[in-house]
Amino acid sequence: MVQRFRTLPPRYWLVLVVVLFFIGLPTVIDSFQAGEWAQALVLGIAIMGLNILVGYSGQLSLGHGAFMALGAYTSAILAHRYKMDYLVTIPIAGLLTGTVGFVFGVPALRLSALYLALATFALAVVAPSLIKRPAELTGGVQGIVLLPPVPPRPASDTFAALTGTAMTSDQWVYYVTLAWGLLLFWLAWNLLRHRAGRAMRAIRDGEVAAAASGINLAGYKTLAFGISAFYAGIAGSLFGLAAGFVSPDSFPVALSIQLLVGAVVGGLASIPGPLIGGIFAYFLPIESNQWVPTQTWIPAAIASTIEKAGPAVTYGAVLILTMIFAPNGIVGLAAAAYTRLRGRLRGVPDRESGQIPQDPQTV
Amino acid sequence: MQEFLQLVVSGIATGGIFASLALALVLIYNAMGLVNFAQGEMAMVATFIAFTLISHGLNYWIAFPVTLVIAFAGGIAIQRIVIRPVERAPLLTLVIITLGLTTLLNGLAGAIFGYVPRSFPSPFSVQTVNILGAYASYRDLGVIAVSGVVLLAIYLLLQRTTVGLTLRAAAHHPEASRLLGVRVSWMLALGWGLASAVGAVSGIMVAPIILLEPNMMQTIIIYAFAAAVLGGIESPLGAVIGGLIVGVTVNLAGTYVPFVGGDLQLAVALAIIIGVLVLKPNGLLGRPSVRRV
Amino acid sequence: MTKIGARIAAVAAFMVTLAACGGSAAPAAQTDVGVTSNSILLGNTIAQSGPAAAYGTIANAELAYFTYINNTQGGVNGRKITFKILDDGYNPANTVPLTKQLVEQDKVFAMFSGLGTQDQTSVRDYLNAQKVPQLFVATGATTFMADESLHNYTIGWQPPYQGEARIYAKDVLTNHAGAKIGVLYQNDDYGQDYLKGLKDGLGSNASMIVDAESYDVTAASTASQLATLKAKGADTLFLFTTPSFTIKSLVITTALHWEPTIYLNSVSNPQVYMGIAAKAGAALKNVTSVGYIKDPTDPTWASDAGMQLYKTVIANCTTCNVNDGFNIYGAAVAWTMVDVLKQAGNNMTRANVVSIATSGLNETANPFLLPGVVVKTTSSDHFPITQEQVITWSGTGWTRQGSLIDERGTIK
């Protein structure tokens, strides 16, 4: 047992450190910042879902914001109209969204990568107007206001015992999000390590070959869609919890682009990539908006253009630069650096991760 | 009946707008098998360039061709700088880059020009034409007419000139073309330049109607996608026909299908996209493509 | 500084020091979060990027006014106003963390002029729970004024959309008694609020509305809705639409060879938009709207003292277009904000400021509003501005008709 412990690959220790870091984080940052980190984790979860679809099974979806909206509204409606406990609504939202995603995956099978991107992009643009339509149910443009969750006594007491201050609503939301994040990342890791993951990667790397080897193309591809939508649904539900409010304008097409940016910058087809991507995608617009104007070394004209243009310019530039110079994202860069390092030290190449999937039809 | 006729005529008018942008999409697709998400934003930027030239005193009829040249050069520049480094990369990379371009161009235009709508001159008058009791303005018809001219030009270029043949060859069979001495990379750049110019024409023609603002093409591009997909993504004629059909369908569905209503026009376009791609992926005029193992 | 100047300054400084050392009977200034002895920190979230970014200039105009006050009057009671503006991109999911940051990290004294109905709704409960004033939100959505008793730290400023629509209803009933009304409205809180106000204002005559057509901001054109309204026989058209769609709808209406009486909402009526519509082919016959703020492009105000002040103020903002109606709106609401702070005097606490804003406003001299418009709140009425004046388009500009109409007390 101890022997096994000692021979764990280094990445397990890294994971442990990261988990501990996140558990301890709220104790050293402001309460509202815990709320912000919660939202970053939410994005990370959604990106993990997107990653399963894009990075692992090679299907490009630009409409995951719409799935998040579905999850968020499911939870909000159940909690607000039917007075269900919000925490209970989270898995329900996930399962519902996952089912819808699975169903969506069926016609998606017939679409080549490009057309799927097109169709899902259109879906993302249409989503807010679709939400407004059943106004009775969704609250239409007024949105649904959610009561801030009250930390339950055991959690609150533990927190108070450890830190001496009462747990705030934002901090509780953070921990709920973290718990789900850990669960879902573990789930993804298991899924992708085993049969389903191998099958999906085989499909991504060469559909015809995969089919020829007996893999059920349709089954795995729709499964990927369903799982991916499940993640997005959970993320959406937590999103609503973190913001305390859902409305059609909370899910613009910019959200789907934000998820894509996070997925790509973090590193597709990797497990840690989505988490890094989520943190990056969430904090970049906030920081660039507030940090850039204070930097005196940036020429005033450029600084004011960036400020006025908002996240759009930064996102656009980052997307382009990343795809040209670091298509495998941060994880890819890190893995490449690590490989080089190990190569220098040991002369043994390691398995690469964070790869952009090749076109399924590449001959 | 009168209302129906008017809806059809107005639909054709709006459809012309979609058609003009769809032509640019089709051109890019013919050049490199890629749908350029940034086409609308590129057209918008070109229109702003035209606006800047005109507001500095340049005559419209000089600003127009000058803008086309700038747009052409801009398209080539974008291909050289942003697309070429990832030419061999998988489709996903390219799509993401065009998305990045979209957000970048939109943000820049907003920062530089602001978001207040502006008027833009048109060579066509605002007078209307009476078609069986329904009305369309000369401007609307002008968009369709100009799209027709562009369509003809594209057709002649692609089908009747060596350049066009080389362009298509480079897009469909890059390896074989290289063996024949074709500078494939520059053919792609040419394709981008042409598509950008066509987009500029579209922008300049439609801005008088939809008003010049950074967000003007943001939803038009989706309707243009629907048009291109419906008509067959490789076919310029299909793009125009598709555009007109989308325009009319959106109007009719919005008025006569109670479930849809006036506020789900874009959802109709989405339905068209999905419907066509699932039922008849090659569109009305496209040729089926064969996938070889 | 000249020699004489320097000597005078030295003497003055000496005397001030004497006075200070001698002990003063000045009352001790109360401070609260975000307030120090020489500064007040106000926070704001607004769309400065993305589709609604055209509104972003409002915050810049407000900042210009605060800068003017700081420079010419040394602030309010010796406290200079710092105004922190954050861009939420019109997305409530951004408004929430940004507002929390302003409250919990920057520790603002109050939130001022936040933009967007959905956006300000998303933080209303939070701000009220934290007892942070949510002052003069930049939206006419009636809920921010009507529901004040439920959220007593929140208050709107501009006339409620429903109130404006009621004025249109009155006008229709007076001047176009047998009208057949067609309505084109945007399918969001903006359009829906206006439509409700119109229906309520018509009361038992609501059947005058033969059809109401909605559109989404993602629509390519409102032609089909307008064609339907025309086909249903409407001879009076209400446009509850945002500026871009208003312009296009005016053009389409003329192109359809349809000449209804047109009622145009106040957000879309700046002369600059009318000019664009005219150039694009709109006939603009029989167009009515309402206004409550002076329009910078209206030559009537060319030598008006308030307009001169506005031009001086707006010069502080390098990116602001002086002709943009949004900017004079910003100056006007900033004027009210400063007015409230002045009234608070040395009792500069959140509770006091909220009390003044929601129940104690009685402003008659706002230089940027039409003459006679008062900004007033009482303990039973929390609608700061309820007066507007009917204006009609003369072909070259807006002409004010009659006198101010007051909708105070009509909206529950």
Side-chain angles (χ1 to χ4, degrees):
Chain A
M1 173 69 181
V2 176
Q3 185 70 358
R4 230 186 116 166
F5 212 52
R6 280 221 209 109
T7 55
L8 278 178
R11 69 171 71 102
Y12 283 84
W13 290 109
L14 186 60
V15 168
L16 191 61
V17 166
V18 168
V19 169
L20 286 175
F21 166 77
F22 275 106
I23 291 179
L25 189 61
T27 57
V28 296
I29 55 176
D30 286 340
S31 164
F32 83 93
Q33 285 175 320
E36 291 189 320
W37 277 91
Q39 290 201 323
L41 286 177
V42 161
L43 285 188
I45 293 173
I47 294 172
M48 183 74 239
L50 186 63
N51 191 22
I52 290 174
L53 192 61
V54 178
Y56 284 97
S57 83
Q59 299 179 80
L60 181 52
S61 159
L62 300 177
H64 262 52
F67 287 126
M68 279 183 72
L70 182 58
Y73 266 92
T74 307
S75 274
I77 293 170
L78 288 174
H80 181 80
R81 280 190 77 167
Y82 299 101
K83 311 288 182 222
M84 287 179 77
D85 183 334
Y86 200 92
L87 293 184
V88 172
T89 67
I90 299 177
I92 299 178
L95 287 171
L96 183 81
T97 313
T99 313
V100 170
F102 187 84
V103 167
F104 199 86
V106 172
L109 288 172
R110 299 202 47 164
L111 305 181
S112 73
L114 180 65
Y115 290 148
L116 184 59
L118 205 62
T120 49
F121 185 72
L123 178 66
V125 178
V126 167
S129 52
L130 288 175
I131 295 173
K132 286 181 200 172
R133 187 34 98 76
E136 281 276 305
L137 190 62
T138 63
V141 292
Q142 312 297 336
I144 300 178
V145 177
L146 298 162
L147 299 169
V150 176
R153 301 257 36 225
S156 185
D157 289 343
T158 321
F159 193 80
L162 289 172
T163 63
T165 50
M167 187 190 255
T168 64
S169 177
D170 277 338
Q171 286 163 336
W172 167 240
V173 167
Y174 171 87
Y175 280 114
V176 170
T177 311
L178 182 63
W180 275 101
L182 288 173
L183 174 66
L184 291 175
F185 271 76
W186 178 80
L187 203 68
W189 183 64
N190 263 303
L191 180 79
L192 298 166
R193 233 174 21 134
H194 293 118
R195 191 197 204 132
R198 287 201 297 273
M200 286 196 255
R201 258 171 296 172
I203 293 173
R204 176 194 75 193
D205 292 338
E207 264 191 25
V208 181
S213 344
I215 293 179
N216 182 352
L217 231 56
Y220 278 109
K221 282 177 88 168
T222 41
L223 184 67
F225 233 106
I227 295 177
S228 167
F230 169 75
Y231 273 71
I234 303 259
S237 178
L238 292 168
F239 178 91
L241 186 66
F245 180 73
V246 290
S247 71
D249 283 345
S250 306
F251 303 99
V253 64
L255 176 62
S256 295
I257 307 265
Q258 197 178 14
L259 294 178
L260 190 64
V261 172
V264 163
V265 168
L268 285 167
S270 73
I271 305 282
L275 176 62
I276 299 172
I279 295 173
F280 174 85
Y282 182 77
F283 286 107
L284 178 67
I286 296 181
E287 294 310 313
S288 72
N289 249 355
Q290 299 190 45
W291 176 80
V292 162
T294 62
Q295 299 308 300
T296 45
W297 54 269
I298 303 177
I302 296 183
S304 89
T305 308
I306 293 180
E307 206 183 336
K308 271 197 297 181
V313 170
T314 343
Y315 267 160
V318 164
L319 264 184
I320 295 174
L321 292 172
T322 311
M323 293 321 285
I324 296 178
F325 295 113
N328 298 324
I330 294 178
V331 167
L333 283 178
Y338 180 64
T339 308
R340 282 234 205 100
L341 199 63
R342 273 180 60 140
R344 298 261 169 91
L345 294 176
R346 282 200 219 161
V348 176
D350 194 9
R351 188 174 63 79
E352 279 193 54
S353 68
Q355 291 274 9
I356 289 265
Q358 296 294 310
D359 287 322
Q361 309 309 323
T362 311
V363 172
Chain B
M1 185 55 194
Q2 201 50 45
E3 185 188 351
F4 177 81
L5 213 55
Q6 183 63 61
L7 289 174
V8 170
V9 168
S10 297
I12 291 177
T14 328
I17 298 176
F18 307 150
S20 67
L21 191 58
L23 280 171
L25 290 174
V26 163
L27 203 49
I28 279 272
Y29 189 86
N30 268 300
M32 67 183 295
L34 168 72
V35 160
N36 179 9
F37 282 88
Q39 203 69 58
E41 302 309 299
M42 286 166 65
M44 177 270 295
V45 169
T47 315
F48 266 107
I49 292 175
F51 174 82
T52 313
L53 292 174
I54 294 174
S55 58
H56 276 92
L58 208 56
N59 181 287
Y60 176 90
W61 292 109
I62 302 180
F64 197 143
V66 169
T67 305
L68 289 191
V69 169
I70 296 177
F72 181 77
I76 292 186
I78 290 179
Q79 200 277 342
R80 293 274 99 193
I81 299 171
V82 160
I83 306 289
R84 193 168 73 97
V86 294
E87 232 163 42
R88 313 287 192 102
L91 186 64
L92 173 60
T93 312
L94 293 165
V95 168
I96 293 178
I97 287 197
T98 59
L99 281 173
L101 261 180
T102 310
T103 30
L104 180 68
L105 291 175
N106 186 273
L108 277 179
I112 298 174
F113 295 99
Y115 290 91
V116 180
R118 293 175 163 84
S119 70
F120 192 87
S122 165
F124 300 100
S125 92
V126 295
Q127 298 305 315
T128 53
V129 160
N130 187 324
I131 306 169
L132 301 175
Y135 298 101
S137 80
Y138 280 111
R139 283 192 182 176
D140 297 324
L141 299 176
V143 169
I144 299 175
V146 170
S147 299
V149 169
V150 171
L151 167 63
L152 190 62
I154 292 176
Y155 170 77
L156 289 175
L157 176 77
L158 287 182
Q159 303 290 346
R160 294 266 183 269
T161 66
T162 320
V163 170
L165 181 61
T166 320
L167 201 72
R168 285 186 294 136
H172 287 235
H173 304 283
E175 296 307 327
S177 305
R178 276 198 191 88
L179 289 172
L180 289 170
V182 170
R183 308 267 303 274
V184 170
S185 197
W186 278 105
M187 283 296 114
L188 294 178
L190 180 64
W192 271 79
L194 288 173
S196 177
V198 168
V201 171
S202 169
I204 291 175
M205 284 293 110
V206 308
I209 301 171
I210 61 176
L211 301 181
L212 178 62
E213 46 181 334
N215 293 322
M216 75 184 202
M217 290 298 196
Q218 281 222 317
T219 46
I220 302 279
I221 187 88
I222 310 258
Y223 293 102
F225 280 148
V229 160
L230 176 62
I233 197 124
E234 285 190 347
S235 161
L237 179 60
V240 173
I241 295 177
L244 300 179
I245 296 179
V246 169
V248 172
T249 310
V250 158
N251 271 4
L252 293 180
T255 312
Y256 294 116
V257 181
F259 171 75
V260 173
D263 47 331
L264 283 186
Q265 278 189 2
L266 191 61
V268 172
L270 172 66
I272 292 177
I273 292 177
I274 295 183
V276 169
L277 290 180
V278 170
L279 296 173
K280 197 177 191 306
N282 298 307
L284 294 172
L285 298 181
R287 278 165 300 122
S289 54
V290 181
R291 290 208 303 235
R292 295 209 153 74
V293 180
Chain C
M1 235 202 237
T2 63
K3 268 213 195 144
I4 303 260
R7 279 197 205 138
I8 292 179
V11 169
F14 179 68
M15 296 190 69
V16 166
T17 320
L18 262 186
C21 290
S24 161
Q30 291 222 355
T31 58
D32 199 343
V33 178
V35 175
T36 67
S37 56
N38 55 13
S39 73
I40 301 174
L41 179 60
L42 296 176
N44 168 279
T45 57
I46 195 167
Q48 297 207 308
S49 64
Y55 300 115
T57 188
I58 293 175
N60 299 337
E62 290 160 352
L63 179 61
Y65 185 77
F66 293 144
T67 308
Y68 167 81
I69 291 288
N70 288 345
N71 291 345
T72 59
Q73 300 176 21
V76 174
N77 289 331
R79 293 186 173 103
K80 295 207 173 176
I81 304 173
T82 320
F83 190 39
K84 185 156 180 182
I85 305 166
L86 290 182
D87 176 14
D88 68 359
Y90 212 66
N91 184 340
N94 295 338
T95 315
V96 171
L98 291 177
T99 304
K100 286 187 180 174
Q101 178 193 323
L102 287 169
V103 168
E104 296 178 31
Q105 184 178 69
D106 297 287
K107 304 216 188 293
V108 296
F109 175 65
M111 294 296 292
F112 166 64
S113 190
L115 179 97
T117 309
Q118 289 180 33
D119 314 84
Q120 292 304 301
T121 306
S122 72
V123 294
R124 180 165 59 172
D125 285 357
Y126 167 77
L127 289 172
N128 275 269
Q130 300 285 326
K131 300 215 185 307
V132 176
Q134 187 183 21
L135 300 175
F136 308 129
V137 289
T139 154
T142 312
T143 172
F144 287 105
M145 294 151 267
D147 299 330
E148 200 276 346
S149 49
L150 298 169
H151 311 275
N152 51 13
Y153 269 70
T154 304
I155 189 83
W157 182 81
Q158 64 197 76
Y161 298 137
Q162 286 187 31
E164 182 179 330
R166 281 168 175 264
I167 294 179
Y168 295 138
K170 277 194 180 131
D171 195 79
V172 161
L173 290 172
T174 316
N175 298 324
H176 306 278
K180 298 206 193 77
I181 297 176
V183 179
L184 176 66
Y185 67 102
Q186 191 159 295
N187 73 337
D188 60 5
D189 43 273
Y190 176 86
Q192 289 173 0
D193 218 15
Y194 272 123
L195 181 59
K196 176 174 198 303
L198 181 65
K199 286 183 181 165
D200 290 347
L202 290 173
S204 52
N205 292 309
S207 53
M208 284 167 80
I209 302 177
V210 299
D211 192 23
E213 295 288 324
S214 71
Y215 71 95
D216 187 83
V217 290
T218 54
S221 163
T222 50
S224 64
Q225 289 90 341
L226 289 166
T228 305
L229 289 172
K230 176 189 174 195
K232 295 253 165 99
D235 59 22
T236 309
L237 175 64
F238 279 82
L239 293 176
F240 296 145
T241 50
T242 45
S244 183
F245 283 100
T246 306
I247 296 170
K248 289 185 265 203
S249 298
L250 289 168
V251 172
I252 293 171
T253 303
T254 305
L256 288 176
H257 285 239
W258 186 28
E259 287 187 356
T261 308
I262 297 178
Y263 284 86
L264 185 38
N265 70 87
S266 63
V267 176
S268 300
N269 71 17
Q271 284 192 199
V272 105
Y273 296 141
M274 305 302 285
I276 297 177
K279 267 205 247 171
L284 299 180
K285 291 205 185 110
N286 277 326
V287 184
T288 306
S289 183
V290 291
Y292 64 100
I293 301 188
K294 295 173 182 167
D295 187 337
T297 58
D298 188 342
T300 323
W301 309 116
S303 43
D304 174 77
M307 191 53 68
Q308 310 284 14
L309 175 62
Y310 163 70
K311 294 191 173 155
T312 312
V313 162
I314 217 65
N316 283 326
C317 168
T318 47
T319 57
C320 296
N321 176 355
V322 68
N323 291 328
D324 189 342
F326 289 149
N327 286 332
I328 194 167
Y329 168 95
V333 64
W335 200 96
T336 303
M337 184 71 234
V338 166
D339 187 20
V340 167
L341 292 175
K342 283 182 180 166
Q343 281 189 61
N346 279 316
N347 187 3
M348 192 59 72
T349 60
R350 284 169 167 169
N352 189 26
V353 162
V354 162
S355 167
I356 295 169
T358 61
S359 320
L361 268 180
N362 194 359
E363 198 177 281
T364 54
N366 192 313
F368 310 113
L369 301 178
L370 291 181
V373 173
V374 301
V375 184
K376 183 172 163 155
T377 55
T378 65
S379 54
S380 54
D381 186 321
H382 309 289
F383 289 80
I385 302 178
T386 52
Q387 295 156 295
E388 293 177 278
Q389 187 155 17
V390 171
I391 50 182
T392 55
W393 183 252
S394 69
T396 49
W398 292 106
T399 318
R400 284 174 292 143
Q401 303 293 339
S403 50
L404 290 170
I405 301 179
D406 196 343
E407 284 298 315
R408 190 167 291 280
T410 59
I411 304 168
K412 304 292 168 276

